[in-house]
């Protein structure tokens, strides 16, 4: 972290220079002085669900609501994230490729603005960068079946990968095990065989797509890692006799550079006992993985319940830092490391020349106190003002 004057120059949505010498701005350049603030790259939430209404019943809404209704909600969710300084959202499970549709809307709007066909300004349709997996692959009646990604067996799963590639997804998400939020699903149980997982990762990699696997069960995690998955979401290590880290798999992940999406979960009153029992060892395992060199990315699973609004990342990362690593490593985990995990290491997650001008300015020093992340004084997306304290 640099202390002292910082001047960031941006043009056409990109950072063209970062000056730390206290130099005067070049002549004729429009300047915004943010005063005494900490400037960070915009945050990256590497595990979100824009289709999920935190206050709604996901299963019912995903079955009953039409695309227009769901899209209207997604616009609100995305705007809420962006307003909090989350300038990139990786959507790890939508319905009907609606996250890609939303991204198209933003892109069309940005192009129209560039042509001056529509008004530029803070009220324009400005959204976070969206990275999208489309509907996650799952078994019949399996975790998140209601998103429409059911694919049983090798042939159907490989066909599903190809279908996603045709739709233009950025990666493939597969539910390697059951999940907690789906009625009747067993989070510890595997949904795919090692051979099926291998067929999916091979098919995706041939198409240039990374794969991330949702996995709570230790067996499902080990199988997905052995199959060459690029990321594991949650990575809880559930076994029939409780949560237990599997060191061989952890070291294999560290060696392969596998990302772990550490979705932040906090103990709270009224939680089912079987979930509560997993939380303490879950965090012990995340910390263990981090110490053993696994690339642990702090992320949210935004949308899945009322505690997970789409702007929860700044709050979640403070909790994460109390469990895993340091404030500095936690900040890297929601910026540069998260960007790398999304395949955007060259354009997001750093305040550096050539990177997108996605910026977050906050009052205070987040390295000292991560609560500062919620004292937002400005957000920029591709060089355009999302909010400043002066407006
Ligand atoms: Zn999720």
């Amino acid at each position: 972290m640099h202390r002292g004057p910082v001047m960031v120059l941006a043009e056409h949505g990109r950072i063209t220079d970062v000056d730390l010498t206290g130099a005067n701005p070049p002549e004729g350049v429009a300047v915004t002085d943010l005063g005494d603030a900490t400037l960070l790259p915009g945050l990256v939430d590497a595990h979100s669900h824009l289709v999920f209404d935190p206050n709604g019943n996901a299963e019912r809404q995903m079955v009953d609501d039409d695309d227009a209704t769901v899209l209207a909600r997604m616009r609100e969710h995305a705007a809420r994230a962006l307003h909090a300084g989350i300038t990139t959202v990786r959507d790890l499970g939508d319905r009907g490729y609606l996250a890609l549709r939303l991204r198209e809307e933003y892109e069309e709007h940005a192009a129209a603005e560039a042509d001056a066909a529509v008004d530029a300004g803070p009220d324009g349709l400005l959204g976070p960068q969206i990275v999208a997996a489309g509907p996650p692959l799952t078994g019949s009646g399996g975790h998140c079946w209601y998103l429409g990604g059911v694919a049983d067996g090798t042939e159907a799963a490989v066909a599903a990968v190809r279908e996603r590639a045709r739709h233009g997804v950025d990666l493939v998400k597969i539910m390697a095990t059951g999940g907690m939020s789906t009625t009747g699903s067993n989070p510890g149980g595997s949904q795919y065989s090692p051979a099926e997982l291998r067929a999916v990762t091979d098919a995706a990699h041939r198409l240039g797509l990374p794969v991330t696997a949702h996995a709570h069960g230790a067996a499902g995690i080990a199988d997905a890692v052995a199959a060459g998955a690029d990321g594991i979401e949650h990575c809880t290590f559930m076994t029939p006799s409780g949560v237990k880290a599997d060191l061989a798999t952890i070291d294999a992940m560290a060696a392969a550079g596998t990302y772990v999406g550490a979705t932040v979960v906090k103990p709270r009153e009224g939680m089912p006992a079987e979930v509560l029992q997993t939380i303490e060892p879950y965090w012990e395992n995340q910390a263990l993985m981090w110490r053993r060199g696994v690339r642990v990315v702090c992320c949210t699973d935004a949308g899945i319940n009322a505690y997970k609004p789409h702007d929860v990342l700044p709050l979640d990362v403070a909790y994460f830092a109390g469990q895993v690593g340091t404030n500095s490593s936690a900040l890297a985990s929601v910026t540069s490391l998260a960007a790398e995990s999304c395949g955007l290491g060259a354009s997001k997650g750093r305040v550096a020349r050539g990177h997108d001008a996605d910026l977050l300015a906050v009052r205070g020093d987040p390295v000292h106190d991560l609560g500062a992340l919620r004292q937002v004084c400005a957000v920029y997306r591709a060089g355009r003002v999302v909010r400043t304290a002066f407006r």
Side-chain angles (χ1 to χ4, degrees):
M1 181 171 153
H2 168 81
R3 283 173 207 280
V6 175
M7 178 172 62
V8 175
L9 296 177
E11 205 179 350
H12 305 305
R14 290 245 172 87
I15 297 170
T16 53
D17 198 15
V18 180
D19 181 276
L20 306 177
T21 67
N24 285 321
E27 211 145 316
V29 166
V31 177
T32 307
D33 184 355
L34 295 172
D36 189 10
T38 302
L39 188 68
L40 303 110
L43 308 181
V44 177
D45 191 346
H47 188 146
S48 180
H49 298 276
L50 291 170
V51 294
F52 288 165
D53 172 0
N55 300 306
N57 178 319
E59 188 165 328
R60 197 173 318 141
Q61 288 179 338
M62 290 302 103
V63 171
D64 291 347
D65 294 346
D66 63 15
D67 284 358
T69 305
V70 177
L71 263 170
R73 257 185 227 129
M74 294 172 80
R75 285 185 202 104
E76 273 176 41
H77 298 157
R80 189 168 171 160
L82 183 62
H83 206 70
I86 302 161
T87 50
T88 300
V89 168
R90 184 168 72 166
D91 189 287
L92 288 188
D94 68 8
R95 187 193 78 189
Y97 303 95
L98 288 177
L100 289 173
R101 181 113 59 100
L102 182 62
R103 178 167 75 193
E104 246 165 60
E105 269 187 31
Y106 293 144
E107 285 169 358
E108 279 164 17
H109 191 86
E113 271 190 5
D115 293 346
V118 291
D119 231 12
D123 300 326
L125 182 62
L126 197 55
Q129 176 75 55
I130 294 175
V131 177
L137 273 62
T138 192
S140 286
H143 184 42
C144 289
W145 59 268
Y146 44 79
L147 293 176
V150 169
D152 293 314
T154 301
E155 212 174 303
V158 168
V161 169
R162 295 204 183 110
E163 183 200 301
R164 277 150 189 73
R166 277 197 300 278
H167 276 90
V169 300
D170 303 292
L171 78 160
V172 171
K173 165 95 178 281
I174 182 163
M175 302 304 201
T177 74
M180 315 215 189
S181 58
T182 303
T183 318
S185 177
N186 168 21
S190 295
Q191 298 199 143
Y192 288 96
S193 71
E196 288 163 347
L197 289 170
R198 169 57 79 178
V200 164
T201 52
D202 283 353
H205 290 166
R206 271 198 301 275
L207 293 161
L209 298 174
V211 175
T212 198
H214 156 110
H216 290 296
I221 294 166
D223 291 345
V225 170
D230 305 274
I232 304 289
E233 304 304 314
H234 316 301
C235 208
T236 311
F237 288 109
M238 286 180 173
T239 77
S241 56
V243 172
K244 271 198 204 91
D246 158 9
L247 282 182
T249 297
I250 289 174
D251 290 344
M253 287 193 283
T258 315
Y259 295 98
V260 165
T263 50
V264 171
V265 52
K266 310 175 197 179
R268 53 169 201 271
E269 242 174 278
M271 248 182 180
E274 64 270 23
V275 177
L276 267 176
Q277 277 163 9
T278 64
I279 294 182
E280 203 177 309
Y282 174 81
W283 284 113
E284 283 168 10
N285 290 345
Q286 299 293 345
L288 174 69
M289 286 189 276
W290 182 76
R291 288 197 305 272
R292 292 181 87 91
V294 177
R295 302 202 265 194
V296 178
V297 176
C298 170
C299 53
T300 65
D301 221 351
I304 52 154
N305 61 41
Y307 302 92
K308 291 289 184 175
H310 291 83
D311 56 355
V312 77
L313 184 64
L315 200 62
D316 274 359
V317 71
Y319 189 82
F320 176 91
Q323 307 290 328
V324 180
T326 63
N327 284 358
S328 294
S329 69
L331 281 169
S333 169
V334 292
T335 53
S336 53
L337 185 66
E340 283 167 33
S341 80
C342 295
L344 298 173
S347 58
K348 306 286 185 189
R350 286 177 198 276
V351 183
R353 187 187 304 163
H355 276 55
D356 293 348
D358 292 355
L359 301 167
L360 165 63
V362 300
R363 297 280 173 236
D365 173 4
V367 174
H368 177 69
D369 174 8
L370 284 162
L373 290 179
R374 283 176 289 141
Q375 309 300 319
V376 176
C377 60
V379 177
Y380 293 85
R381 165 79 176 98
R384 294 195 40 217
V385 179
V386 176
R387 68 186 275 199
T388 70
F390 316 111
R391 280 174 191 271

